[in-house]
Amino acid sequence: MFISVILPIIIIFSAGFAAQKAFKLHIKSISTMAIYLMFPPLVFRTFYDNPLSLNYLYIFLYTVALTGIFIIIIKGIGLWKNYPDEKQNALILAVGFMNNGNYGIPLVLFAYGAGGLDYIVPIMIFHTVLQITIGVYYAAKGKTSFKSVVRSVGSMPMMHAVYLGILWGALSLPMHESIYGAISLIADAAIPTIMLALGMQLAEIKVKNIEWSTMSLAVFLRLVVSPVIAFLMVWYLPIDLLLRKIMVLAAATPTAAISSMLAIQYDCNPQLVSAITLITTFLSMGTVLIVLLLLG
């Protein structure tokens, strides 16, 4: 399991990490290319190839419920330990939003094959919407309006790809093989690109002046508590066994890289969020392997 799933991820992340250290590449350009040019074909192909089903409803409810549970947990801990609002908001960013894109998609691909992408891509989409609405709200609390945050969802190319994919497939509209082949080629390129981009992003994170007690709490919640909650939420739902496994595995992924970017952009305790992102990503190589072995 380590050699077939975890090792390829380590190798590709390390390549991105080393390239960034050596060449100081422009990460934003690569991330923008992945988000605006590569993710939309991947999303379109997923929804085009798979007709609408109740699975999408369960995936939506799962993503919303999991994030909501962690917001409640962090707020409860914040009241108990008398954390200031900024610290609570930083922990919500670090714990409530897992990395289902750069990390989750390749993880599921290596663990369960191409069929697993049909489930992890919708999870990534719904979770991304939460990140750029609820996540931005907490990162920028008091600095921008929630209405402006919600409007940003409509500008996401991947959201338009969802609508197009669903309509194209539902209406059985014609598509030439060469066009589908081009879409698939770009979609396949998205996965290694986002993996390299995460490695590059990790190379830019600097860890200093960290409250290790807070760090330990966040790491425990993100890597241990999260998959346990997901298991209790989804294991007995009337859905495919593969989807159950992917939901639990997705919950075991580390802090989303976008969380550290939002923390930096809105000055929401960026050192803490960035450090949690870095530490959970490295430690997850071990914890994710344990989750995979337990899932069987």
Side-chain angles (χ1 to χ4, degrees):
M1 187 71 74
F2 175 82
I3 293 175
S4 62
V5 179
I6 304 300
L7 185 59
I9 292 174
I10 293 175
I11 291 172
I12 300 174
F13 283 171
S14 298
F17 188 97
Q20 184 60 23
K21 288 292 187 183
F23 305 116
K24 297 297 179 184
L25 301 171
H26 195 253
I27 300 175
K28 187 174 181 180
S29 296
I30 295 172
S31 296
T32 300
M33 180 178 66
I35 293 170
Y36 286 89
L37 299 181
M38 294 181 171
F39 264 146
L42 178 62
V43 171
F44 175 87
R45 185 180 67 180
T46 299
F47 284 89
Y48 175 77
D49 288 343
N50 298 279
L52 285 177
S53 70
L54 277 176
N55 284 335
Y56 292 126
L57 175 61
Y58 286 120
I59 289 171
F60 172 75
L61 293 175
Y62 152 83
T63 53
V64 172
L66 190 61
T67 299
I69 287 169
F70 274 111
I71 290 174
I72 293 170
I73 289 174
I74 296 301
K75 286 294 184 181
I77 293 173
L79 286 173
W80 174 40
K81 295 199 171 186
N82 200 29
Y83 286 162
D85 283 346
E86 184 182 277
K87 191 171 185 179
Q88 291 183 40
N89 296 339
L91 284 173
I92 288 171
L93 279 179
V95 175
F97 301 99
M98 59 268 197
N99 196 339
N100 286 322
N102 306 65
Y103 195 112
I105 289 177
L107 174 64
V108 167
L109 177 64
F110 287 128
Y112 299 115
L117 293 180
D118 297 338
Y119 293 136
I120 189 63
V121 170
I123 291 174
M124 179 271 294
I125 293 167
F126 290 134
H127 206 75
T128 299
V129 172
L130 291 179
Q131 286 175 319
I132 64 171
T133 51
I134 304 300
V136 171
Y137 169 76
Y138 280 106
K141 202 169 182 182
K143 302 166 190 173
T144 189
S145 69
F146 188 66
K147 286 184 179 179
S148 65
V149 170
V150 172
R151 281 197 296 268
S152 67
V153 177
S155 65
M156 292 176 61
M158 72 173 69
M159 295 307 299
H160 301 300
V162 172
Y163 314 141
L164 283 174
I166 292 173
L167 287 173
W168 213 294
L171 298 176
S172 299
L173 297 176
M175 179 179 294
H176 197 277
E177 288 183 7
S178 61
I179 297 176
Y180 183 83
I183 291 171
S184 291
L185 191 63
I186 299 173
D188 291 338
I191 297 171
T193 302
I194 60 176
M195 293 176 73
L196 289 170
L198 178 57
M200 294 165 62
Q201 289 165 351
L202 294 175
E204 293 297 307
I205 292 176
K206 297 176 175 60
V207 178
K208 58 183 180 180
N209 301 324
I210 298 304
E211 301 174 44
W212 288 105
S213 60
T214 307
M215 165 76 76
S216 301
L217 170 66
V219 170
F220 178 71
L221 290 173
R222 173 90 307 277
L223 298 182
V224 179
V225 175
S226 182
V228 171
I229 292 175
F231 177 86
L232 295 174
M233 284 172 52
V234 309
W235 202 250
Y236 296 102
L237 290 177
I239 54 177
D240 296 342
L241 177 61
L242 178 59
L243 177 53
R244 287 184 213 143
K245 289 183 177 182
I246 290 173
M247 284 175 163
V248 175
L249 187 60
T253 55
T255 299
I258 193 174
S259 292
S260 61
M261 296 180 198
L262 292 176
I264 292 169
Q265 182 176 348
Y266 294 104
D267 194 26
C268 181
N269 207 331
Q271 284 296 331
L272 177 62
V273 178
S274 296
I276 293 170
T277 303
L278 182 66
I279 299 300
T280 55
T281 301
F282 284 118
L283 291 182
S284 67
M285 301 298 175
T287 56
V288 162
L289 179 60
I290 293 171
V291 171
L292 278 169
L293 292 172
L294 289 173
L295 290 173

